[in-house]
Amino acid sequence: MHLADVVFIIILLITMAGALITVLSGSIIYALMGLIATMFGIAGMYVYLNAPFIAMMQILIYVGAISILIAFAIMLAGPMFKRPKEWTKPVKFISGAIAAIVSFVLFFTVVMRTEWSGIKAAEANMTTKDIGRALFDRFMLPFELISLLIVVSIIGAIMLALYSRKEK
Amino acid sequence: MCDLAAIINIIGKETARLILGLIGVLIVVVVNALVLTWVERKVSGHMQKRIGPKEVGPYGLIQPFADGLKLLGKELLTPANVDKPLYYLAPVIVFIPVLVSFIVIPFDGFLQVKDINVGILVILAFSSLSVLSILIAGWGSNNKYSLIGATRSVAQNIAYEIPLLLSLLPVAFMANSLSLRDIVEVQRQGWFVWRWQFFAFLIYFIAATAETNRTPFDLPEAESELVAGFHTEYSGMRFALFFLAEYTNIFIASAIATTFFLGGYLGPVLPGIVWFFIKTYFLVFVIMWFRWTFPRVRFDQLLNFSWKILIPVAFANLILTGGILKL
């Protein structure tokens, strides 16, 4: 086994463990910690794939901004210290199992049907400049659509906040 | 004697450099904290017409060692109802960003553990981990003061991370690089404080003071209302780790300001590393100066200041810089 494989397995274990903690833990703060571990695992995967810029962006945005915002929301909303494990109830367990199996089958078929080709050497060395150029050139339309989506969600958030203020 | 060259040959040059660099970083972290605790007391003493520590050693110079030994010798108290895994994890996590940030800071032309071409992103990405550790500490302690401190810290961090990023970006634009060494090298033509980016420097410095939780922005640990904020329940060496991290964060914030705006290791006559430390410690002194001369701000003032003044000004500066560069 190469050293690279060991690194890959460690990253994989961190990601999987984080995901399991997120789903299974009873405390919402632990779930958040698990989510952060998963984000770090994914960032590690980007480093492993020789994309340090995307890895750093992953940490900056998902750990530094989104997870911290989630934490803030938890603290504002009044956290539950000990939540009963609801997934042991039969109805929830069965519906959860069905959802999990269906999405697993879907992902599995997609993964198996796709023809995976290795990354070409030229593509592997994407610099920050290349990413910026691709974003504003080839992928201009999706990029602008995403910003439109964000604007819509901002307006929605402002409307919600305004209405709840007026009611008081 | 074991043969150092042979070991380096086995593990490879890059790895050896990284390991040696990390050892050096650990030494710098500890020495820096020892020096800064002494300096802070002396500065505060003289600013308030007191003397500060003077009994232990000449000018009280050995006082930090005495304090360190005391902290090492103290019992590690664990309160009964804490959330144990989180409580133990927090002082460990607080050290990750500290160690990672040091890797990319160029102390001199050649004295840098590793020059990464997205260097500044590494520092900014990992600096958000320190607020995570405060959050864990506040939550895990199971104490109302800790939790309020942690909540404040999160709100403050969200507010001040944005101007911090926005004030560093124009410099990266002008240097046309995200590597810290390139940014320093570009400043051979003149420091960025004087080349158009004075406002960015001001914004960065204010935001950095807030990010390191220093007075006038030290609401997460405001003594008069929250006992000690997020580290109320920590004692002994665990408390010392938070303390070490705080002083190292001040050093890193100043070092980044030096690198981005004050020409880093550039300077006449003296070797680069001396210039780097002179500039950095001057900024550290300014941050201490803030602490002992400004009163603490109120929480709404703190947030309003960032969202209504710092962020718009930083945005305007960013757009102006980008526009002028492309004209």
Side-chain angles (χ1 to χ4, degrees), chain A residues 103-125:
Chain A
S103 47
F104 176 77
V105 169
L106 270 176
F107 277 119
F108 192 74
T109 42
V110 167
V111 167
M112 293 316 275
R113 290 264 176 103
T114 315
E115 281 184 31
W116 297 100
S117 55
I119 306 167
K120 287 165 202 146
E123 283 174 12
N125 282 321

Side-chain angles (χ1 to χ4, degrees), chain B:
Chain B
M1 271 303 284
C2 58
D3 200 348
L4 201 65
I7 297 175
I8 290 175
N9 259 335
I10 294 169
I11 57 177
K13 253 196 179 144
E14 273 298 298
T15 323
R17 195 186 166 91
L18 211 61
I19 291 170
L20 283 179
L22 277 178
I23 294 170
V25 164
L26 283 175
I27 294 170
V28 171
V29 165
V30 174
V31 171
N32 170 63
L34 285 178
V35 172
L36 284 190
T37 47
W38 180 81
V39 171
E40 173 129 73
R41 287 188 198 174
K42 276 291 178 191
V43 168
S44 70
H46 284 286
M47 280 184 184
Q48 298 175 339
K49 284 215 161 185
R50 304 186 274 117
I51 303 169
K54 74 182 187 71
E55 292 294 335
V56 191
Y59 305 102
L61 270 171
I62 313 191
Q63 184 70 43
F65 293 97
D67 290 342
L69 280 177
K70 182 198 78 176
L71 283 170
L72 269 175
K74 269 194 172 175
E75 185 190 351
L76 283 174
L77 273 176
T78 306
N81 287 324
V82 296
D83 194 330
K84 285 223 170 66
L86 294 183
Y87 182 81
Y88 295 142
L89 202 62
V92 181
I93 290 188
V94 81
F95 246 79
I96 300 174
V98 165
L99 293 183
V100 172
S101 304
F102 264 105
I103 289 178
V104 292
I105 293 177
F107 290 95
D108 200 345
F110 60 94
L111 236 159
Q112 183 184 19
V113 181
K114 193 163 169 51
D115 188 41
I116 303 172
N117 62 4
V118 289
I120 184 56
L121 287 179
V122 173
I123 292 181
L124 291 175
F126 278 89
S127 69
S128 58
L129 272 184
S130 60
V131 69
L132 186 70
S133 76
I134 290 179
L135 180 74
I136 298 177
W139 179 269
S141 294
N142 196 13
N143 173 317
K144 58 187 169 191
Y145 299 121
S146 301
L147 192 59
I148 294 173
T151 320
R152 283 184 180 183
S153 161
V154 173
Q156 182 172 333
N157 214 272
I158 293 171
Y160 280 86
E161 185 117 331
I162 305 168
L164 193 84
L165 274 167
L166 290 177
S167 63
L168 291 180
L169 270 182
V171 176
F173 280 6
M174 288 181 77
N176 210 358
S177 169
L178 294 172
S179 146
L180 292 179
R181 192 187 298 181
D182 290 353
I183 287 166
V184 174
E185 285 300 326
V186 166
Q187 294 179 72
R188 283 196 189 278
Q189 303 149 20
W191 296 358
F192 278 126
V193 209
W194 313 127
R195 275 168 67 205
W196 315 111
Q197 295 302 339
F198 182 69
F199 284 105
F201 175 66
L202 273 187
I203 294 167
Y204 171 80
F205 207 61
I206 294 170
T209 313
E211 286 274 298
T212 49
N213 294 332
R214 294 285 295 186
T215 325
F217 308 111
D218 66 339
L219 287 134
E221 40 190 304
E223 302 92 343
S224 48
E225 25 190 316
L226 294 181
V227 189
F230 63 90
H231 57 65
T232 307
E233 297 288 359
Y234 285 88
S235 59
M237 223 28 220
R238 293 204 191 104
F239 163 75
L241 279 179
F242 278 116
F243 212 65
L244 267 177
E246 182 185 329
Y247 278 110
T248 317
N249 276 331
I250 296 169
F251 179 84
I252 290 172
S254 306
I256 296 172
T258 306
T259 311
F260 269 73
F261 300 103
L262 300 181
Y265 51 79
L266 302 176
V269 190
L270 294 168
I273 187 159
V274 177
W275 274 112
F276 181 84
F277 277 107
I278 288 176
K279 291 170 188 171
T280 305
Y281 277 111
F282 174 72
L283 291 181
V284 171
F285 170 72
V286 173
I287 291 181
M288 286 180 179
W289 194 355
F290 284 171
R291 173 163 179 186
W292 298 104
T293 46
F294 282 131
R296 186 178 298 131
V297 296
R298 228 169 47 222
F299 198 63
D300 57 318
Q301 291 171 333
L302 172 92
L303 291 184
N304 277 340
F305 182 60
S306 173
W307 289 106
K308 292 185 179 165
I309 299 175
L310 284 186
I311 293 180
V313 173
F315 257 120
N317 182 45
L318 179 71
I319 293 169
L320 258 176
T321 311
I324 289 172
L325 277 180
K326 273 294 158 198
L327 274 183

